[in-house]
Amino acid sequence: MRFRTGIGFDVHQLKEGLPLWLGGVRIEHTHGLLGHSDADVLIHAICDALLGAAALGDIGQHFPDTDPAYKGIDSKKLLANVCQLLSQKGYSIGNVDAIICAQRPKLMPHIPAMRQTLANVMGIDIDDLSIKATTTEHLGFEGREEGISSYASVLIYKNE
Ligand code: MG
């Protein structure tokens, strides 16, 4: 068995009046994330961690923000596509651990829905997908509510 790990990080800016998508779930809030796609910062960090673990580049290479095909796209489709790329290379996903850094809104009540939604997209057990949320104690851009960041770490494996 060959094991590999990967890390991912992403940031998107918050803007008033935009829909907020996090972990594939729509969350009621005054602000949403700005981006070429639906700007789901958590999914983007997970995609980059998976691509990194397989040394398959990054999300910007696979889904360029200059390509109109990805304008407003549901990031769950990008994640499904990344999982397919890994599976074509013979990799299975061991587990995913992720963090969302946001001052507001309170994310804890939405985490079960995010885990269920993304575990379904990735074809893994919900127990193999951990999502955590933290504020930054009003410090930095997340704390000033100018943006939201996300970190992800993954383990993938291949039978050899
Ligand atoms: Mg992004």
Side-chain angles (χ1 to χ4, degrees), residues 86-132:
L86 262 69
S87 136
Q88 281 163 6
K89 285 260 179 187
Y91 290 114
S92 299
I93 298 168
N95 75 297
V96 178
D97 186 19
I99 311 174
I100 308 166
C101 305
Q103 194 63 44
R104 279 194 322 136
K106 273 262 167 282
L107 297 176
M108 182 104 91
H110 304 286
I111 285 180
M114 291 182 197
R115 289 179 67 207
Q116 190 61 69
T117 302
L118 297 189
N120 288 349
V121 172
M122 298 171 79
I124 60 174
D125 197 281
I126 193 166
D127 290 333
D128 294 326
L129 171 58
S130 153
I131 299 172
K132 309 184 297 292

Side-chain angles (χ1 to χ4, degrees), residues 10-12 44:
D10 196 28
V11 174
H12 281 269
H44 295 179

Side-chain angles (χ1 to χ4, degrees), residues 9-12 34-37 39-45 48 59 75 78:
F9 171 69
D10 196 28
V11 174
H12 281 269
L34 181 68
H36 185 67
S37 65
D40 192 320
V41 68
L42 170 61
I43 293 187
H44 295 179
D48 257 0
I59 193 171
S75 292
L78 307 183

